[in-house]
Amino acid sequence: MLNLVLFGPPGAGKGTQAELLAKTFELNHVSTGDLLRTEIAAKTALGIEAKRKIDKGELVPDEIVVAMIKNKLEKNKDVNGFIFDGFPRTLEQAMALDKLLDENETPVTGMLRLEVEKQEVIIRLLNRGKISGRSDDQDRSIIENRITVYCQKTLPIIEYYKPQGKHFEVNGMGSVEEIAGRLKEVVEKIR
Ligand code: AMP
C-alpha cells in the first residue's frame, strides 16, 4: 500500500494537490477538514463542538480527528492506499496514525511537505475565503492564528518523520500543474 501524508501550512494547496495525487496513484483521499465540515453541515454534536474550534482558528481535539481516521481506515480496507490531507496536525496524531496503520500492517510511505511563503499563504487563504465562503478563511486574525498554531503544534511533526527517512520537501510555489509535477516525481521515487 502507498500511504502518503500531504503536509504544509493552511493555504499551501494541500486539498487541490491531494485530489490530483489521489487520481494519479488511485489513492483514497482523506481530508480531516472536509470530514469536519461534513459534520458541521449535518449539525451533529461532533460538528457543533468542532465548529467552535475551527471558527477561532484552533485545532479540533486529537481524540475527535483520530476517531474519524480510524473509522475511515476500517471502512476502506481494500484500497491501494491513502493520501492524508490536513492530518496529522500534532505529534500525538502522527503517533496515533502509525499505530492505526500498524494494525493494518501498512506504514506511512512518506510525508510530502509543501513549502509556501507566509505572505503567499495569507493571500491564497483570503482569496479562497471570497470564493468558498469558509468563515475561517475570511478573517485575517483567524488566518494568522492558524499559521501560529501550525508553527507551534504541526511543524514539530517534521522531526518525527525525518529520522525515519520519510520527510520529502517540495516547493509549493508556482502553478497547480508545476507543483503537481514535483509531487508526482517524488512519489514515483518512493512508491
Ligand atoms: P483544513 O480544511 O485542513 O484547513 O482544516 C480546517 C480546520 O479544521 C482547521 O483549521 C482545524 O481547526 C480543523 N482541523 C482539520 N484537520 C485537523 C486535524 N488533523 N487536527 C485538528 N484540527 C483539524
Side-chain angles (χ1 to χ4, degrees):
M1 256 167 90
L2 178 63
N3 292 317
L4 304 172
V5 169
L6 192 56
F7 187 88
K14 295 189 296 293
T16 307
Q17 295 298 336
E19 244 173 66
L20 294 171
L21 281 168
K23 262 193 210 132
T24 308
F25 296 100
E26 296 179 352
L27 302 173
N28 198 305
H29 176 193
V30 182
S31 153
T32 39
D34 285 349
L35 292 173
L36 290 166
R37 282 184 287 275
T38 304
E39 296 284 340
I40 292 171
K43 295 194 168 66
T44 63
L46 191 158
I48 291 163
E49 192 187 338
K51 190 174 183 319
R52 262 188 248 131
K53 295 286 183 187
I54 293 174
D55 282 351
K56 286 190 255 175
E58 289 169 10
L59 293 181
V60 171
D62 289 335
E63 311 82 73
I64 292 185
V65 280
V66 170
M68 288 191 324
I69 293 287
K70 185 169 191 263
N71 187 25
K72 268 275 167 189
L73 294 182
E74 280 170 1
K75 281 194 179 141
N76 296 279
K77 290 212 185 280
D78 296 319
V79 293
N80 285 337
F82 294 92
I83 174 137
F84 298 100
D85 156 14
F87 178 88
R89 259 177 157 102
T90 63
L91 211 46
E92 288 74 18
Q93 291 179 19
M95 292 190 281
L97 176 62
D98 273 354
K99 222 171 134 219
L100 288 174
L101 291 173
D102 261 357
E103 284 162 14
N104 302 329
E105 293 169 23
T106 57
V108 168
T109 315
M111 180 252 232
L112 312 170
R113 176 183 170 200
L114 282 175
E115 290 202 282
V116 185
E117 289 155 18
K118 184 177 171 187
Q119 277 318 309
E120 171 72 13
V121 158
I122 295 176
I123 293 166
R124 285 189 196 178
L125 288 174
L126 287 169
N127 281 336
R128 186 169 78 184
K130 282 184 207 148
I131 301 161
S132 71
R134 263 180 68 170
S135 54
D136 58 341
D137 284 345
Q138 291 181 19
D139 182 311
R140 209 180 174 99
S141 70
I142 296 174
I143 291 174
E144 295 269 4
N145 193 34
R146 286 161 71 197
I147 295 170
T148 303
V149 169
Y150 170 76
C151 292
Q152 287 174 350
K153 302 205 169 145
T154 309
L155 272 179
I157 297 179
I158 294 169
E159 300 310 321
Y160 178 74
Y161 288 110
K162 254 190 195 165
Q164 303 180 47
K166 292 182 178 176
H167 168 256
F168 301 92
E169 275 175 13
V170 177
N171 178 359
M173 302 288 287
S175 70
V176 169
E177 294 76 20
E178 277 165 346
I179 301 162
R182 291 179 201 135
L183 286 167
K184 190 170 168 231
E185 209 175 296
V186 175
V187 179
E188 295 283 11
K189 278 194 201 135
I190 63 172
R191 68 198 288 217

